[in-house]
Amino acid sequence: MTTWRAVGASVAGASHRVRGVPCQDAFSLHVDDEGLVIVVCDGAGSAVHADVASRLVCDAFSVEGRRQARCPSGPDVEALLAASRRAIEDAARERNAPIREFACTLLGAIVTATWSLFVQIGDGAIVAANTEDFAPIFWPSHGEYANETHFLTDAEPHHVQCLVTSDRPTRLAMFTDGLERVALRIADRAAHQPFFGALFTSLAAEHTSEAAFSHALHAWLASDRLSTRTDDDLTLVLAATNVPTRREAADGS
Amino acid sequence: MASNAPHFDFTEVEFADNPEPRCPVVLLLDNSGSMRGEPMRELNLGLRAFRDDLLADPLAAKRCELAVISFGPVRTVSDFVSAADFESLTLLPEGDTPMGSAIERGLDMLRVRKDMYRRNGIAYYRPWVFLVTDGAPTDKWQDAARAVHDGEQARAFAFFAVGVEKADMKVLKQISVREPVKLRGLQFRQMFQWLSSSLRGVSRSTPGTIVPLSPPTGWTDV
């Protein structure tokens, strides 16, 4: 059985804090004997109910994801997306509001003993590593312009990026687009290794408690150092297995 | 190039140093003879205040990039630089009003700039082209008008036209898809203030944000 150490934090961006707008990012993090389910959503700034939508989608995807994690045969992406969409369609109907007011992106990952699933609609990224370097599973999908992306509410089938594999990452990071320019090397479409290296080294340290790490992560996301680089909402979720990496094994400690 | 000296272009070095998404803006400014005196002076003052406004906002200073083309004759006064590096400049009144070729030059520069962004993996916002004139084109402007219409249709940029004093609003209407506006008196400073606050909105917008433009009130005549 593989156990995971997993932490996450979301903070409202500087511009949202100033205007009193709630954080429109949400995440859900679940670890049990069947595996790991992580969802990260970024509600569209233009959508009135973006904060509600990202929360609902995280919850719905997570519930369906945990159900599927018990199926050794593999995941059903369509069912995951349908459950996620249903959650916002119901909310839209209840509030008598158009579905576009619930626009949000979706990053989902399920890692079980026999299979892993990654799915992405829109921007932000899922970065994974096993014994190799950190690499984004998909590249954030933007329109031509920086303030355009795709959303669960309006995604055409070709906007859904999906990967099902028997490979299991031992380290997994998922984050919304506010961190893209800090965590990714945009020009060569790669992950910024030192960024993830440093984070996972701290996370894996024996004395690290998940609660203390989450707290520190939250404080860092809200720090001035980051808000001079972006004023968007920021979410970062990290998960690492307790399986020793090769290097630690070689150290014999 | 005439000289054998190696030519270094550090433009793309700046993209590595400042990988922020960019919001390119082309200012097409009329400096024909009829702008002589008060209009030219006010336009120059407005331009300076515009730069100061953008500089006061750290994100806008890094993200907005300005290019200035004056026409009368067509001259690239400043190729794209980020607002932080935009040097204050003073336009002098000169000749006629070759508006058509100024627009074509501006759209060409935009195309080149977008290619440069793509090559360097720099994200960008929809560019703005902002035309200010007090006259009527003295050259062939129909091709430029078509290029503006095509570009707006393809969402390649947003084109705004402002007429000053005796500007030919009828021709501006045929060039610009968006309703051209008439500047009230010589309120260039108020006009540039509107432009900078609109750009600050665009340059800090995040995916999915439709940036509402505040109506150009206070500096326009109906």
Side-chain angles (χ1 to χ4, degrees):
Chain A
M1 194 185 76
T2 312
T3 61
W4 292 85
R5 181 175 279 188
V7 295
S10 263
V11 300
S15 65
H16 285 179
R17 276 177 271 162
V18 168
R19 288 183 292 139
V21 176
C23 178
Q24 292 160 334
D25 285 1
F27 70 92
S28 161
L29 185 53
H30 181 84
V31 181
D32 65 16
D33 291 352
E34 315 300 335
L36 172 76
V37 181
I38 302 177
V39 199
V40 172
C41 290
D42 181 348
S46 57
V48 176
H49 302 297
D51 54 328
V52 178
S54 52
R55 183 72 263 149
L56 288 173
V57 170
C58 278
D59 294 344
F61 187 103
S62 185
V63 168
E64 175 63 17
R66 277 178 257 170
R67 195 188 66 76
Q68 293 194 12
R70 292 193 287 273
C71 307
S73 55
D76 176 349
V77 183
E78 286 309 314
L80 279 160
L81 295 181
S84 308
R85 284 202 184 97
R86 206 156 45 235
I88 44 181
E89 281 160 8
D90 289 350
R93 209 172 304 114
E94 230 167 76
R95 283 157 207 255
N96 208 7
I99 190 85
R100 66 163 184 281
E101 300 297 355
F102 293 80
C104 67
T105 65
L106 171 72
L107 300 172
I110 306 173
V111 181
T112 74
T114 46
W115 54 266
S116 306
L117 160 93
F118 305 97
V119 60
Q120 170 161 357
I121 299 173
D123 53 18
I126 306 171
V127 166
N130 201 325
T131 50
E132 308 296 316
D133 283 353
F134 291 96
I137 307 257
F138 313 108
W139 193 247
S141 105
H142 290 285
E144 179 183 7
Y145 299 129
N147 50 346
E148 294 177 345
T149 188
H150 304 297
F151 299 110
L152 175 64
T153 39
D154 59 13
E156 305 280 334
H158 65 273
H159 296 146
V160 180
Q161 306 193 80
C162 180
L163 172 72
V164 179
T165 166
S166 57
D167 290 343
R168 275 182 299 158
T170 56
R171 285 156 295 168
L172 193 59
M174 293 165 60
F175 51 90
T176 51
D177 73 301
L179 279 171
E180 278 175 16
R181 280 181 300 279
V182 182
L184 299 177
R185 292 205 316 256
I186 307 293
D188 42 4
R189 290 183 160 245
H192 187 50
Q193 302 297 327
F195 176 86
F196 295 103
L199 283 168
F200 279 97
T201 305
S202 325
L203 180 63
E206 205 151 322
H207 54 83
T208 299
S209 85
E210 288 180 10
F213 196 92
S214 294
H215 190 75
L217 192 60
H218 195 277
W220 177 67
L221 291 179
S223 69
D224 289 345
R225 264 192 66 208
L226 276 184
S227 53
T228 57
R229 307 222 19 206
T230 174
D231 62 354
D232 197 2
D233 295 341
L234 300 171
T235 297
L236 177 60
V237 180
L238 304 169
T241 60
N242 63 351
V243 177
T245 62
R246 266 184 204 163
R247 169 121 179 261
E248 282 159 358
D251 286 345
S253 51
Chain B
M1 250 191 300
S3 138
N4 284 332
H7 174 70
F8 295 111
D9 181 358
F10 287 109
T11 322
E12 306 197 22
V13 176
E14 196 210 325
F15 289 134
D17 191 40
N18 171 10
E20 294 292 330
R22 303 306 166 94
C23 181
V25 182
V26 182
L27 300 176
L28 303 173
L29 305 177
D30 187 338
N31 68 328
S32 58
S34 55
M35 289 286 286
R36 192 175 306 281
E38 198 64 9
M40 199 78 265
R41 208 166 24 249
E42 286 299 315
L43 176 62
N44 281 322
L45 285 173
L47 197 54
R48 203 157 308 150
F50 175 57
R51 167 181 174 261
D52 294 343
D53 272 359
L54 290 178
L55 278 184
D57 180 324
L59 270 182
K62 278 192 249 175
R63 294 180 172 184
C64 290
E65 292 196 319
L66 309 177
V68 179
I69 296 170
S70 62
F71 52 101
V74 176
R75 193 170 286 147
T76 304
V77 182
S78 168
D79 202 341
F80 285 101
V81 288
S82 58
D85 297 324
F86 185 69
E87 299 191 15
S88 64
L89 46 89
T90 305
L91 299 180
L92 298 172
E94 290 182 62
D96 53 359
T97 313
M99 196 187 302
S101 19
I103 293 172
E104 288 175 42
R105 166 93 61 101
L107 301 188
D108 278 343
M109 279 168 63
L110 262 186
R111 262 190 295 276
V112 171
R113 196 64 180 174
K114 277 191 182 182
D115 283 345
M116 218 179 253
Y117 293 148
R118 288 193 203 105
R119 211 166 42 237
N120 288 278
I122 294 284
Y124 55 94
Y125 297 95
R126 188 174 183 180
W128 281 24
V129 184
F130 204 80
L131 170 83
V132 180
T133 179
D134 76 335
T138 50
D139 64 350
K140 239 179 110 258
W141 53 271
Q142 285 81 358
D143 285 353
R146 203 166 307 120
V148 170
H149 282 247
D150 290 350
E152 283 273 11
Q153 176 82 30
R155 302 182 65 247
F157 51 77
F159 187 96
F160 301 88
V162 179
V164 182
E165 293 187 324
K166 296 195 180 67
D168 186 338
M169 298 305 286
K170 278 203 201 98
V171 173
L172 285 186
K173 256 189 189 119
Q174 291 179 68
I175 293 175
S176 177
V177 176
R178 287 153 213 272
E179 187 68 20
V181 294
K182 181 85 195 293
L183 188 70
R184 179 184 298 164
L186 294 173
Q187 299 198 343
F188 287 107
R189 267 178 275 194
Q190 288 83 342
M191 175 192 84
F192 277 118
Q193 220 161 48
W194 174 86
L195 183 59
S196 68
S197 75
S198 304
L199 285 173
R200 273 153 46 198
V202 170
S203 69
R204 55 183 56 240
S205 64
T206 52
T209 319
I210 297 155
V211 184
L213 284 186
S214 61
T217 47
W219 52 275
T220 55
D221 270 341
V222 184

